[in-house]
Amino acid sequence: GAVVSQHPSRVICKSGTSVKIECRSLDFQATTMFWYRQFPKKSLMLMATSNEGSKATYEQGVEKDKFLINHASLTLSTLTVTSAHPEDSSFYICSTGSGEQFFGPGTRLTVL
Amino acid sequence: QKEVEQDPGPLSVPEGAIVSLNCTYSNSAFQYFMWYRQYSRKGPELLMYTYSSGNKEDGRFTAQVDKSSKYISLFIRDSQPSDSATYLCAMSIYGNKLVFGAGTILRVKS
C-alpha cells in the first residue's frame, strides 16, 4: 500500500503563530489527499479534500482561511494553521489512496 | 441516525479469545469497506480492505461484508495484548471521502 509520511510529528507553538504541516506520499501518485483532525478518544473528523493543482474542498464548518491547504505536486500536500489558538490544538492526520486509504502517522499540534 | 454505527466499547477480553467487532451502515452506495487499527497518538493503520460483499482473511484477521444487511465485521483470532487498540471501521464510494464509525476500544488482558 501507499506509504505516507508527515512532518513534523509534534509541534508546540505560541498563540497567534502559523504552523505548516507537510504530508508526503512516498510511493503513490496522490492526486487527492485528505486532511483530518482528531480529538482525544474521538474518531477522525474530515476537514478537507486536497486536490493536486486545484483548490481544496472544505467540509462544512471548517474555515478555509484558517486552515490553508496547498497541493502543488503529486507527492506533497501542506496544511497551514494560520494564527493558531489553543482551541486548534489537536492531532492532524492526512491520508491518500484509491479505494483504500492509507494514513500518515499524524502531527500533534499544541498551541500555548 | 449516523451514516455508520459502531459500538465504542470498551470491549475487554482475555488473551486468546476470539474478538468480534461490527459496524452497520445506512448508505447502500458504499462499495469499499476498511478496518483500521489505531494505537494511542498514532495514525490509523489499515488492517483489512474489502470491495463489495464477501469475506477476506489475513492471518488472524477475517473481515466480512454483508451488503444485503448493511453490516460488516472484523474477527480477530487468538487475540494478543498487543491487539489492544481502537478499531475503526470505514467505508466509501470509490474516490470519495471515507465515512468512519466511532471506533471500538479493545482491551486484551494477559
Side-chain angles (χ1 to χ4, degrees):
Chain A
V3 178
V4 183
S5 70
Q6 280 184 243
H7 178 78
S9 58
R10 191 167 197 160
V11 56
I12 301 172
C13 69
K14 292 182 179 179
S15 186
T17 61
S18 293
V19 175
K20 180 185 283 188
I21 301 170
E22 294 184 348
C23 176
R24 292 185 184 273
S25 175
L26 302 181
D27 59 352
F28 179 78
Q29 302 285 290
T31 55
T32 301
M33 287 184 170
F34 300 91
W35 285 96
Y36 298 82
R37 68 186 296 183
Q38 186 176 34
F39 293 104
K41 300 186 188 295
K42 297 292 184 184
S43 191
L44 284 75
M45 184 187 82
L46 180 66
M47 298 175 65
T49 303
S50 168
N51 301 298
E52 187 265 335
S54 65
K55 290 184 178 180
T57 303
Y58 291 81
E59 294 299 299
Q60 190 173 10
V62 178
E63 298 175 62
K64 62 180 181 181
D65 294 330
K66 179 159 189 66
F67 299 100
L68 299 178
I69 291 172
N70 183 276
H71 192 160
S73 77
L74 289 173
T75 60
L76 175 64
S77 175
T78 61
L79 169 69
T80 301
V81 183
T82 62
S83 187
H85 291 283
E87 59 264 29
D88 299 323
S89 298
S90 191
F91 192 53
Y92 292 87
I93 317 173
C94 66
S95 75
T96 191
S98 58
E100 65 213 291
Q101 291 285 314
F102 297 92
F103 285 83
T107 297
R108 183 159 301 281
L109 170 64
T110 302
V111 184
L112 302 176
Chain B
Q1 182 188 6
K2 291 182 181 177
E3 215 169 354
V4 179
E5 298 277 0
Q6 183 178 10
D7 186 339
L11 176 63
S12 189
V13 302
E15 184 176 356
I18 297 174
V19 175
S20 173
L21 303 167
N22 311 291
C23 289
T24 59
Y25 62 95
S26 57
N27 188 347
S28 58
F30 287 135
Q31 298 182 72
Y32 296 84
F33 303 90
M34 286 143 274
W35 284 95
Y36 290 89
R37 177 174 63 194
Q38 187 176 25
Y39 293 111
S40 181
R41 299 174 181 260
K42 301 289 185 184
E45 171 194 1
L46 181 65
L47 284 177
M48 300 292 284
Y49 164 65
T50 309
Y51 170 72
S52 194
S53 283
N55 294 358
K56 189 172 185 179
E57 187 174 323
D58 184 1
R60 296 185 296 113
F61 299 93
T62 300
Q64 290 183 350
V65 175
D66 183 348
K67 290 193 75 177
S68 62
S69 301
K70 298 191 182 70
Y71 187 88
I72 69 171
S73 302
L74 177 71
F75 298 95
I76 307 173
R77 290 182 297 281
D78 187 26
S79 56
Q80 303 295 309
S82 58
D83 294 327
S84 298
T86 298
Y87 289 80
L88 297 152
C89 66
M91 46 202 79
S92 73
I93 303 164
Y94 183 82
N96 287 14
K97 59 188 180 183
L98 290 181
V99 180
F100 283 92
T104 299
I105 297 170
L106 173 66
R107 296 177 183 147
V108 181
K109 299 174 291 185
S110 58

